[in-house]
Amino acid sequence: MDRFLWLLAGAAALLLAASSPAMAGGGDGHVEVGVNWGSQLSHPLMPSSVVKMLKGNGITRVKMFDADPWPVGALVDSGIEVMLGIPNDMLETMSSSYGHAQDWVKENVTAYGNKLKLKYVAVGNEPFLKAYNGSFMKTTFPALKNVQKALDEAGVGKSVKAVVPLNADVYVSPDDKPSSGAFRPDINGLMTDMVKFLHDHGAPFVVNIYPFLSLYQSDDFPFEFAFFNGGRNIQDKGGVSYSNVFDANYDTLVNALKKAGVPNLKVIVGEAGWPTDGDKNANLKLARRFYDGLLKKLSKDEGTPIRPGKMEVYLFGLFDEDMKSIAPGNFERHWGIFTYDGKPKFPIDLTGQGHDKLLSPVDDVEYLPHQWCVFDDGAKDKSSLPGNIQYACASGDCTALGYGCSCNGLDEKSNISYAFNMYFQMQDQDVRACDFNGLAKITDKNASTRGCLFPIQIISAGGRLATPPLPVWAAFLALAVMLFL
Ligand SMILES: *[C@@H]1O[C@H](CO)[C@@H](O)[C@H](O)[C@H]1NC(C)=O
Ligand SMILES: *[C@@H]1O[C@H](CO)[C@@H](O)[C@H](O)[C@H]1NC(C)=O
Ligand SMILES: *[C@@H]1O[C@H](CO)[C@@H](O)[C@H](O)[C@H]1NC(C)=O
Ligand SMILES: *[C@@H]1O[C@H](CO)[C@@H](O)[C@H](O)[C@H]1NC(C)=O
């Protein structure tokens, strides 16, 4: 997305700030919004309770990153439309032999019969991301072909389409104008072949669009342009103007598709959302503003300036996921519109009417005991503190402690307590996980402070822990390594 800076909002563009994109279609006030249901949580919620919550909130579409039979089983007979996923690490296998694709379809599609309302199979997830250095360049398209062929031969190819969710960094615009949109030069040939294939098989193009990342990646990005309230307009050819980066980005893709010879290929936004912690621009207020604007826009069926009409969008994501990699940034674990324990974070009106109401939470969530692990200031030997903090943060989650984040205001001692507690909770409050060479103690006094929640974990419905609790010798080892290397 580094080219999507949209910095050319000069004086001329600003003059047009009052105009808005043409309305088309006239919405029916009903948004059929989808959500991404990820699985990288140390303590997953019971899938049946999640599905009940989805239905209760009128969420009719779900996108997943794999085909884990546990949550998928809960979606059977739910009436919710599903997109299953084949992770990037399976692309090699899927491309190398058609038999593997057949097996996948047999086990993860046809086994459910027509009880699962399956619509799409996502082959890979953002496989051409620049950060992957081309690792999936050779395998993605062959895998896509094998999976679609397997779906066709299993007799479900008419209703189930294989797609490839891609990051918006597969297309570029040399002058930041949507009309100049084209596929990235290094993958232009591959993308052109792939979109033709999608077109020939009646499958859509799935793209992930993140105005938050545009803002995150450049301090010069015009702030207002990340939202949907106007205030900053970009002029394009033929009198077309853009009041937000979401539309501008989407239309850059539409123009790239035109150049590739498939001007009418359907586009689905596979991910769109705003995180609530882990960065100075990731908070409840801005997330609420983004979703409010997005959902109002969707409810009007206005589409974009060059693609008016209904838009299909999957919000990212459902829950905060404490085991996501934070390589892209600390905000990665805070994308949920619900907290880790299934509570709505902020008012969000999925009908796009902007009503100030909260979604209903996940029911029947059970918590671990009300106890916290905190720093024991009375401990005599504090020499192993740095190593222990580092360990707690590396194996737990300290993403709320950084600059501009919800727990940034803590003093040094509370900071340490926060790190210790997150690790302790992630380890199911195992007493061995609140030792840290005698530097920690368990308390039943709520350690939260104003604005900074010291969470109590839930009783995991699935139980898959990141790492076993830290034995004392390991902390010594970590410290020794730190000191002597
Ligand atoms: C079906 O999907 C699951 C979950 O993603 C995966 O682990 C499994 O390998 C798939 N089955 C086959 C036969 O590929
Ligand atoms: C991509 O290359 C960079 C620099 O060469 C390297 O740091 C990174 O680990 C590589 N990433 C992957 C996924 O191979
Ligand atoms: C608290 O921890 C964060 C993250 O490790 C660090 O950036 C910050 O400086 C710490 N604050 C204090 C007061 O020690
Ligand atoms: C601890 O206090 C925080 C903030 O004061 C509150 O939100 C949270 O629910 C409390 N936790 C428990 C388990 O009582």
Side-chain angles (χ1 to χ4, degrees):
M1 302 254 290
D2 46 342
R3 306 213 61 156
F4 287 88
L5 302 179
W6 312 100
L7 295 178
L8 30 84
L14 282 173
L15 288 174
L16 287 144
S19 74
S20 64
M23 284 263 294
D28 55 8
H30 183 62
V31 187
E32 280 202 21
V33 77
V35 289
N36 281 273
W37 183 4
S39 61
Q40 298 185 58
L41 289 87
S42 64
H43 291 64
L45 292 152
M46 187 60 89
S48 53
S49 305
V50 174
V51 171
K52 197 174 139 207
M53 176 279 280
L54 295 173
K55 290 179 76 173
N57 286 314
I59 294 170
T60 54
R61 295 186 174 120
V62 158
K63 175 170 170 285
M64 302 174 111
F65 296 90
D66 54 24
D68 183 348
W70 191 43
V72 176
L75 286 161
V76 163
D77 283 331
S78 67
I80 293 173
E81 192 181 288
V82 181
M83 183 185 312
L84 294 178
I86 295 176
N88 289 340
D89 60 13
M90 285 180 84
L91 291 175
E92 173 92 58
T93 312
M94 291 297 149
S95 67
S96 66
S97 109
Y98 174 56
H100 286 132
Q102 277 181 306
D103 290 347
W104 193 93
V105 166
K106 197 172 162 207
E107 186 171 304
N108 292 312
V109 178
T110 37
Y112 298 104
N114 52 17
K115 290 173 184 299
L116 186 69
K117 206 170 162 192
L118 185 63
K119 188 97 185 272
Y120 304 110
V121 174
V123 181
N125 186 44
E126 302 188 338
F128 302 152
L129 207 60
K130 278 197 206 131
Y132 292 143
N133 300 341
S135 306
F136 308 110
M137 216 76 105
K138 287 204 172 69
T139 49
T140 304
F141 190 25
L144 173 73
K145 288 194 248 187
N146 278 341
V147 172
Q148 186 63 56
K149 186 175 164 200
L151 290 167
D152 290 343
E153 288 191 357
V156 295
K158 277 213 163 57
S159 56
V160 186
K161 304 294 179 188
V163 297
V164 179
L166 292 158
N167 187 277
D169 84 344
V170 296
Y171 45 87
V172 293
S173 169
D175 61 1
D176 277 353
K177 298 199 179 194
S179 58
S180 308
F183 287 118
R184 219 167 72 202
D186 65 310
I187 51 171
N188 186 44
L190 174 60
M191 286 305 302
T192 302
D193 291 345
M194 218 166 81
V195 296
K196 284 186 173 140
F197 179 87
L198 293 170
H199 177 262
D200 291 347
H201 290 80
F205 191 103
V206 180
V207 64
N208 301 338
I209 298 180
Y210 280 112
F212 169 80
L213 293 181
S214 304
L215 197 55
Y216 179 74
Q217 283 159 4
S218 167
D219 280 337
D220 298 327
F221 184 86
F223 188 81
E224 294 295 317
F225 204 52
F227 302 94
F228 300 88
N229 314 70
R232 200 86 193 240
N233 270 34
I234 302 283
Q235 257 314 77
D236 204 344
K237 285 194 196 111
V240 178
S241 81
Y242 291 91
S243 60
N244 64 80
V245 70
F246 183 87
D247 284 357
N249 196 318
Y250 189 102
D251 278 358
T252 305
L253 168 61
V254 173
N255 281 302
L257 292 172
K258 260 186 214 164
K259 286 191 188 114
V262 288
N264 299 317
L265 188 66
K266 181 178 172 174
V267 174
I268 289 179
V269 178
E271 296 180 16
W274 200 280
T276 59
D277 210 344
D279 180 64
K280 64 179 195 293
N281 290 319
N283 55 53
L284 296 172
K285 195 173 149 221
L286 292 180
R288 190 176 170 182
R289 181 175 172 197
F290 176 79
Y291 280 114
D292 197 53
L294 176 66
L295 290 160
K296 276 185 184 150
K297 169 190 170 59
L298 295 178
S299 75
K300 286 186 267 180
D301 285 351
E302 62 184 25
T304 64
I306 63 167
R307 267 278 179 105
K310 211 174 182 71
M311 215 184 241
E312 190 172 327
V313 177
Y314 293 80
L315 308 183
F316 189 92
L318 203 45
F319 305 112
D320 282 351
E321 295 174 64
D322 60 350
M323 287 175 69
K324 281 200 83 175
S325 160
I326 50 170
N330 280 340
F331 52 83
E332 275 294 331
R333 292 177 180 162
H334 304 279
W335 287 105
I337 56 174
F338 291 87
T339 54
Y340 71 101
D341 53 347
K343 292 203 174 81
K345 286 185 187 170
F346 47 85
I348 185 168
D349 183 356
L350 297 178
T351 68
Q353 309 305 302
H355 293 138
D356 190 33
K357 62 182 185 189
L358 288 169
L359 295 174
S360 21
V362 176
D363 283 337
D364 309 320
V365 178
E366 286 186 273
Y367 291 83
L368 293 169
H370 285 184
Q371 55 179 8
W372 293 261
C373 178
V374 294
F375 174 49
D376 183 359
D377 202 18
K380 282 193 199 76
D381 180 6
K382 296 200 175 71
S383 59
S384 67
L385 199 50
N388 278 297
I389 296 172
Q390 202 193 29
Y391 183 88
C393 285
S395 325
D397 182 10
C398 293
T399 55
L401 290 179
Y403 171 71
C405 304
S406 65
C407 296
N408 187 229
L410 297 180
D411 61 24
E412 207 179 329
K413 285 174 197 160
S414 304
N415 228 8
I416 301 167
S417 293
Y418 185 88
F420 285 179
N421 183 59
M422 290 304 277
Y423 178 74
F424 175 63
Q425 301 294 336
M426 200 182 263
Q427 298 297 332
D428 274 336
Q429 300 188 355
D430 187 319
V431 290
R432 291 168 298 170
C434 186
D435 179 50
F436 297 106
N437 300 109
L439 291 165
K441 61 180 182 193
I442 294 172
T443 174
D444 58 10
K445 186 170 165 279
N446 193 338
S448 304
T449 61
R450 215 152 47 99
C452 174
L453 177 74
F454 280 57
I456 294 288
Q457 255 302 353
I458 62 168
I459 294 176
S460 174
R464 53 178 134 173
L465 291 181
T467 39
L470 169 77
V472 175
W473 60 264
F476 279 119
L477 190 69
L479 185 69
V481 168
M482 275 184 56
L483 291 176
F484 297 110
L485 284 186

